[in-house]
Amino acid sequence: MQTTRTTPSRLAKRAHYDEATIHPILDEALFCTVSFAVDGQPMAIPTAFARKGNKLYIHGSVGSHFIRTIENGAPVCISVMLADGLVLAKSAFHHSVNYRSVVIFANAEKVTDEAECMEALALITDHLIPGRWDDLRPTTASEMRKTTVLVFSLAEASAKLRAGGPSDDPDDENRPTWAGVIPLQTVRQTPVPAPYNNDTPLPDYLINPQNT
Amino acid sequence: MQTTRTTPSRLAKRAHYDEATIHPILDEALFCTVSFAVDGQPMAIPTAFARKGNKLYIHGSVGSHFIRTIENGAPVCISVMLADGLVLAKSAFHHSVNYRSVVIFANAEKVTDEAECMEALALITDHLIPGRWDDLRPTTASEMRKTTVLVFSLAEASAKLRAGGPSDDPDDENRPTWAGVIPLQTVRQTPVPAPYNNDTPLPDYLINPQNT
């Protein structure tokens, strides 16, 4: 939703407010950064998350300073960035980055419904490793008591994107300097078993290392 | 440096304050997230940066709301995370992430010395694309007037790391569920030339796509 604080001051043409743009970025990103302020001092924590519909879930230890600081509804800014490529122009000034980013302004709500907590943990697990949750033993009541789940509305979310090649000053275009894009990709590599894994085989959902 | 605000409330054993740990993380990361607060409302902007000694530089447009908000010394939190792997345990509860992160509490100083500004732009360019700066035409006075360079001290920086395999409850270790690590890596792919690059050859520093 476009509001004063979701409207960027620079390059507003790169901003988007539709779910069709915002949701896939959140679904592809593995981690977000949650920023909050304590007495005017900003702090930022990278963490796992998952999206369902127009909500975003994170989780943490009930004892975490971070979780305890924001669980009662303090304002937070959640940001996500996918770096797609380095954009090399013929002048330093026109170098850029291809990216897809989302910024969310929201206030945490603590999830108290047990079924919703459990579903959020499943969503966060499967967001990082699709198919994983159903392969695990059930989470115990004791484990749940140690875990806080927070939910945020995506109502005030915006995306900002850049794609494509460099744009140079016309006078520079013929300079003998290479110009173009170096694509970046996050790649999942071959899984490395734990010593106590013994000969447990890799499940289907892990057999082909996917790009994230 | 260890201070109250750089001491994590959780897993403090994972925290490090020495340059030998902090500097390589900053040098490997391509982007940081700068968090700041306006009237208690946190905001976060991902951006390029570079480190030199015990200082970190960022740059932006002189017209940027972000830059104008922090250039006079408002407190910021700069965070960086390298996601090294997904850690799969035999219970959801013990799933984790291998990461190397840095958090810096600092206040921006606007760089006014012209030579230091120019050096910072070279450092930021070469941080993303080593060797690039010397291949570019000189930055013009007009381009410099449109650019603000900010510098931050790393005095109050801390790193937090996790590496290695999963750690499961002893009762779970023999479950027939695969446990281990899925390594993650950011990879530079084959450069894609701009349409107006014509036949300008790839320079040596771009010929072997490196891992970042």
Side-chain angles (χ1 to χ4, degrees), chain A residues 5 9-10 30-31 33 35-37 40-44 46 61 63-66 68 75-77 79 81 83 86 88-95 97 101 103 105 125 128-129 132-133 135-137 139 143 146-147 166-169 172-194 196-198 200-203 205-206 212, chain B residues 5 9-10 30-31 33 35-37 40-44 46 61 63-66 68 75-77 79 81 83 86 88-95 97 101 103 105 125 128-129 132-133 135-137 139 143 146-147 166-169 172-194 196-198 200-203 205-206 212:
Chain A
R5 60 186 179 178
S9 68
R10 305 293 302 169
L30 295 179
F31 305 99
T33 299
S35 304
F36 56 105
Q41 171 63 56
M43 315 192 82
S61 163
S64 149
H65 170 259
F66 159 54
R68 284 184 285 123
V76 306
C77 175
S79 62
M81 181 174 86
L86 304 173
L88 282 63
K90 300 203 173 197
S91 65
F93 191 75
H94 285 295
H95 276 58
V97 175
S101 67
V103 168
F105 294 107
T125 304
L128 290 170
I129 313 135
R132 184 64 173 169
W133 185 260
D135 199 15
L136 299 168
R137 68 156 171 78
T139 293
E143 289 169 343
K146 294 173 186 161
T147 306
S167 173
D168 261 297
D169 292 335
D172 287 329
E173 286 197 357
N174 289 321
R175 284 184 178 273
T177 305
W178 190 88
V181 174
I182 304 173
L184 298 173
Q185 193 165 31
T186 300
V187 175
R188 293 176 189 233
Q189 298 180 308
T190 307
V192 179
Y196 60 85
N197 184 65
N198 297 321
T200 311
L202 267 180
Y205 60 85
L206 293 180
T212 59
Chain B
R5 60 186 179 177
S9 68
R10 304 296 300 169
L30 296 179
F31 304 100
T33 300
S35 303
F36 56 105
Q41 171 62 56
M43 315 191 84
S61 164
S64 149
H65 171 258
F66 159 54
R68 284 184 285 122
V76 306
C77 176
S79 62
M81 181 175 85
L86 304 172
L88 282 63
K90 300 203 174 197
S91 65
F93 191 74
H94 286 293
H95 276 58
V97 175
S101 66
V103 168
F105 294 108
T125 304
L128 290 170
I129 312 136
R132 184 64 174 169
W133 185 260
D135 199 16
L136 299 169
R137 68 154 170 79
T139 292
E143 288 168 344
K146 293 175 185 160
T147 306
S167 173
D168 262 297
D169 292 335
D172 287 328
E173 286 198 355
N174 290 321
R175 285 183 178 272
T177 305
W178 190 89
V181 173
I182 304 173
L184 299 173
Q185 194 165 29
T186 300
V187 175
R188 294 176 188 232
Q189 299 179 306
T190 307
V192 179
Y196 61 85
N197 183 65
N198 296 319
T200 310
L202 267 179
Y205 59 85
L206 294 180
T212 60

Side-chain angles (χ1 to χ4, degrees), chain B residues 23-38:
Chain B
H23 289 184
I25 299 170
L26 294 175
D27 295 347
E28 184 175 335
L30 296 179
F31 304 100
C32 66
T33 300
V34 181
S35 303
F36 56 105
V38 177

Side-chain angles (χ1 to χ4, degrees), chain B residues 80-166:
Chain B
V80 149
M81 181 175 85
L82 298 167
D84 292 327
L86 304 172
V87 180
L88 282 63
K90 300 203 174 197
S91 65
F93 191 74
H94 286 293
H95 276 58
S96 189
V97 175
N98 283 342
Y99 63 90
R100 289 168 289 152
S101 66
V102 170
V103 168
I104 302 154
F105 294 108
N107 305 73
E109 269 182 67
K110 197 168 167 174
V111 178
T112 53
D113 180 76
E114 217 169 289
E116 188 181 356
C117 276
M118 193 68 87
E119 188 193 8
L121 297 180
L123 289 166
I124 293 168
T125 304
D126 280 349
H127 178 213
L128 290 170
I129 312 136
R132 184 64 174 169
W133 185 260
D134 287 341
D135 199 16
L136 299 169
R137 68 154 170 79
T139 292
T140 66
S142 157
E143 288 168 344
M144 292 302 284
R145 278 194 299 274
K146 293 175 185 160
T147 306
T148 298
V149 173
L150 301 180
V151 62
F152 301 88
S153 162
L154 298 180
E156 212 170 335
S158 60
K160 210 170 165 189
L161 325 177
R162 188 199 189 281

